[in-house]
């Protein structure tokens, strides 16, 4: 599926228009949307919007300071647009919140989205399963787009000891 604002053939890599943002949001998995809603609800004093102060609290928690990072740029752009359109309330709606993260994902910063949500208390990665097997990261951002694809096999990429280094010791991938 081609996005409206991107170059011909570009998929999910270029979000240039609000239509592109809407399409990206439509591709959010239920787990991602649940995590975004969970953090939004924790931050919001009224459950419907985020004030600039509430957003700044989020940015300080995730970035350590104001004025840096893609999330800061995206939230600033949304606030500026609302100011210019002379809306009385300059607050982020839940839809605005989704759009900010859609733009982060479109820039390829899935790791930043995971970090931001986890640092705010959303458990995005579960290292435990019911049977103790298949303890791999089951990413909600993992999609494969194809025209023709046949799976011919699946194999573990890590040995048990390598997996333990990652999940038990917090080590990086080998």
């Amino acid at each position: 599926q081609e996005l409206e604002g991107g170059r011909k053939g570009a998929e999910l890599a270029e979000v240039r228009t609000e239509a592109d943002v809407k399409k990206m949001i439509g591709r959010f998995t239920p787990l991602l949307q649940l995590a975004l809603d969970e953090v939004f609800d924790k931050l919001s004093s009224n459950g419907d919007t985020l004030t600039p102060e509430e957003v700044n609290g989020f940015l300080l928690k995730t970035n350590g300071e104001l004025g840096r990072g893609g999330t800061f740029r995206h939230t600033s752009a949304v606030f500026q647009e609302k100011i210019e359109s002379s809306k009385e309330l300059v607050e982020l709606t839940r839809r605005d919140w989704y759009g900010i993260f859609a733009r982060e994902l479109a820039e390829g910063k899935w790791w930043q989205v995971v970090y931001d949500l986890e640092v705010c208390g959303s458990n995005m990665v579960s290292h435990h399963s019911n049977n103790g097997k298949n303890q791999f990261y089951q990413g909600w951002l993992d999609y494969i787009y194809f025209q023709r694809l046949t799976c011919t096999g699946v194999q573990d990429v890590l040995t048990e000891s390598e997996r333990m280094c990652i999940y038990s010791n917090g080590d990086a991938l080998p």
Side-chain angles (χ1 to χ4, degrees):
Q1 177 178 351
E2 205 169 289
L3 298 177
E4 183 178 291
R7 292 188 309 267
K8 184 163 180 57
E11 290 193 26
L12 292 181
E14 294 179 307
V15 171
R16 295 188 180 182
T17 67
E18 286 305 310
D20 293 345
V21 170
K22 187 175 180 179
K23 286 178 186 177
M24 179 69 90
I25 292 169
R27 292 179 173 183
F28 285 178
T29 63
L31 179 58
L32 174 57
Q33 191 158 349
L34 179 70
L36 288 169
D37 287 340
E38 179 183 10
V39 172
F40 185 95
D41 291 338
K42 283 181 182 179
L43 297 170
S44 176
S45 58
N46 65 15
D48 294 323
T49 60
L50 294 173
T51 66
E53 293 77 20
E54 290 166 338
V55 171
N56 286 346
F58 166 77
L59 293 169
L60 286 169
K61 187 168 192 161
T62 57
N63 293 338
E65 62 183 86
L66 296 177
R68 59 180 288 271
T71 311
F72 173 80
R73 287 190 308 278
H74 299 310
T75 56
S76 295
V78 171
F79 281 133
Q80 188 60 39
E81 183 179 311
K82 287 178 180 269
I83 290 168
E84 289 172 3
S85 68
S86 67
K87 292 189 177 181
E88 289 183 30
L89 290 177
V90 181
E91 297 178 334
L92 293 184
T93 64
R94 200 171 294 264
R95 166 65 176 77
D96 296 330
W97 179 250
Y98 295 160
I100 288 162
F101 287 94
R103 285 181 166 84
E104 282 290 287
L105 292 171
E107 291 176 3
K109 295 191 245 172
W110 58 268
W111 48 268
Q112 184 66 53
V113 171
V114 171
Y115 171 81
D116 288 352
L117 295 173
E118 285 189 342
V119 80
C120 290
S122 183
N123 183 12
M124 299 305 301
V125 181
S126 174
H127 299 302
H128 305 287
S129 66
N130 293 337
N131 60 8
K133 293 185 179 183
N134 299 322
Q135 296 179 359
F136 304 111
Y137 168 59
Q138 302 287 323
W140 36 261
L141 300 171
D142 298 339
Y143 288 97
I144 298 175
Y145 296 93
F146 59 91
Q147 290 184 355
R148 289 183 203 101
L149 180 68
T150 303
C151 179
T152 58
V154 178
Q155 80 179 52
D156 288 343
V157 294
L158 300 174
T159 65
E160 186 61 33
S161 64
E162 290 171 327
R163 191 175 302 114
M164 292 307 294
C165 284
I166 295 168
Y167 290 113
S168 297
N169 304 334
D171 204 356
L173 287 172

